[in-house]
Amino acid sequence: MTDDVTALTQLVLHERQGRDREWWDAMLESYAPDAEVRLSWFRGSGAEFVDQSRRMAGRGDRAVHRLGPAVVDVHGGRALVELPAVIEVTTELDGVEAVLASYARLLHRAVRTGNGWRIASLDPLYERDTLTPGIPGSTVRVDEEELRKYRVPYRFLAYVLGRRGYGVGDDLYGDDRPDEVAGVYAEAHHWLNPAGRKP
């Protein structure tokens, strides 16, 4: 069990490291062949996510992930790994340098394969975000009418991504919809162990 927890923790950390460092082969290796990814700007397979992340970086759109300690639950050949994260993006809005910080919990399902543990799915649960000037004393201005179109847990993330040409759905998991979030956890734990105790 201890070795599994270590392996799973390193799995999700290496996936994020691959994303941040643009080590695409290492990132791809983290995913099972039939993995599914669902997040702010992308929905599709793990392989497609890696490819689109590469394209995103090629456009100059890069993020850095500040990660907290992982919580790992293992049952047989399945596991859940929740990883707290702050997604930081430095961008420019109307000529002003701005820093976006999106706070989320990254919920991974993982499966044991012949090549070790691999990520079967990735779903962020968004908590809140901030948008601040990159240079002290400057002012970041946002279109408040446009901002009101987006849900509070990821409104600045959606605003910034929208300005960069990425569409963001209104149906992401967020703490402003606690019943949905509770359902995500319940369904994930049922997947992990259908006969087990629910959290």
Side-chain angles (χ1 to χ4, degrees):
M1 174 68 82
T2 301
D3 288 345
D4 284 336
V5 170
T6 299
L8 286 156
T9 300
Q10 290 300 308
L11 172 69
V12 298
L13 293 178
H14 277 109
E15 188 275 340
R16 290 290 85 186
Q17 183 187 45
R19 176 81 161 80
D20 288 359
R21 306 291 179 265
E22 300 180 20
W23 297 344
W24 308 119
D25 289 344
M27 184 182 175
L28 179 60
E29 189 177 342
S30 301
Y31 287 97
D34 58 350
E36 297 180 356
V37 177
R38 178 182 184 271
L39 42 77
S40 60
W41 60 275
F42 175 84
R43 294 177 192 186
S45 71
E48 290 168 335
F49 176 50
V50 175
D51 181 64
Q52 290 301 313
S53 295
R54 181 190 290 112
R55 293 172 184 267
M56 191 181 211
R59 291 184 53 187
D61 296 323
R62 294 179 175 88
V64 175
H65 296 78
R66 312 296 181 189
L67 306 173
V71 177
V72 180
D73 293 298
V74 182
H75 183 75
R78 293 183 173 187
L80 294 177
V81 185
E82 183 176 274
L83 186 64
V86 182
I87 306 152
E88 292 183 357
V89 177
T90 300
T91 189
E92 188 176 283
L93 290 174
D94 300 324
V96 178
E97 182 180 310
V99 179
L100 165 74
S102 175
Y103 296 79
R105 305 184 298 281
L106 307 181
L107 184 62
H108 306 79
R109 298 186 193 197
V111 292
R112 195 193 307 271
T113 74
N115 296 314
W117 289 101
R118 293 292 184 269
I119 297 168
S121 69
L122 168 58
D123 286 288
L125 292 83
Y126 294 95
E127 299 172 350
R128 65 183 180 90
D129 56 10
T130 60
L131 187 64
T132 57
I135 300 174
S138 60
T139 301
V140 177
R141 301 191 183 280
V142 298
D143 183 330
E144 293 188 21
E145 183 176 346
E146 182 180 348
L147 191 66
R148 280 193 290 271
K149 298 176 184 176
Y150 305 119
R151 288 170 50 203
V152 170
Y154 54 93
R155 59 185 170 184
F156 294 116
L157 176 65
Y159 184 87
V160 168
L161 289 176
R163 287 294 185 96
R164 297 292 297 165
Y166 301 96
V168 176
D170 185 53
D171 59 347
L172 300 172
Y173 301 126
D175 284 346
D176 61 328
R177 296 178 178 174
D179 290 344
E180 283 188 8
V181 170
V184 171
Y185 281 121
E187 201 277 330
H189 281 89
H190 180 76
W191 171 86
L192 177 67
N193 180 10
R197 180 179 62 84
K198 303 301 182 290

